[in-house]
Amino acid sequence: VSLDEYEMVRGPALQKNQFRVPPDVRKQILLEQTDVSHDTLKVTEKSIAKDRKKILQTYRSAVAPVAGQQLEELSEKAKRKLKRLVFQTSKTKEEQELWEMAHRVALQKLED
């Protein structure tokens, strides 16, 4: 059979939503065509729901700190800019002060 003949005979392509099988139909197929019991099916569904919940919680906890951290960084940046404006210091002088403060903190930690 040539490709052109096949294309004419096969009909229109299915749409994405036509591939979906509703949950109740899927359950019925499992119960009829396999030896899975209702109880096993319910236990498995609960397990899957529990796993989905854990995955969602993990995702949310991974995303939330990033957003909080970004907000904190923006806040610090705004404070530095305001301080530079008020005290009329340059970025280089501010950097130098930050390095000196970091050096003092490091020395203090060594002493403790």
Side-chain angles (χ1 to χ4, degrees):
V1 178
S2 73
L3 182 61
D4 291 331
E5 288 178 59
Y6 171 76
E7 288 291 332
M8 291 178 75
V9 174
R10 80 174 175 100
L14 295 176
Q15 295 180 355
K16 186 177 180 180
N17 63 349
Q18 291 175 312
F19 286 104
R20 294 187 136 216
V21 178
D24 54 331
V25 173
R26 222 175 314 134
K27 288 177 192 175
Q28 194 62 36
I29 292 171
L30 276 171
L31 293 171
E32 289 174 359
Q33 297 182 6
T34 64
D35 57 347
V36 174
S37 68
H38 263 294
D39 293 337
T40 305
L41 195 56
K42 284 183 182 182
V43 169
T44 305
E45 285 176 330
K46 284 183 181 181
S47 172
I48 290 170
K50 189 176 179 181
D51 290 344
R52 278 188 184 149
K53 188 175 181 180
K54 282 183 185 177
I55 290 169
L56 187 59
Q57 286 174 342
T58 303
Y59 173 76
R60 285 182 179 158
S61 67
V63 170
V66 172
Q69 183 180 3
Q70 288 174 346
L71 184 61
E72 187 177 327
E73 288 174 5
L74 286 173
S75 171
E76 288 296 321
K77 188 175 180 180
K79 284 179 190 176
R80 285 194 307 271
K81 284 185 176 184
L82 185 60
K83 187 177 176 182
R84 275 198 309 263
L85 182 66
V86 170
F87 295 110
Q88 295 185 358
T89 57
S90 67
K91 279 187 177 185
T92 349
K93 185 165 181 160
E94 182 189 2
E95 259 183 32
Q96 185 179 1
E97 289 173 1
L98 286 171
W99 277 111
E100 288 171 2
M101 189 178 1
H103 183 70
R104 282 193 301 265
V105 169
L107 288 176
Q108 187 178 15
K109 283 186 178 181
L110 284 175
E111 290 175 3
D112 294 341

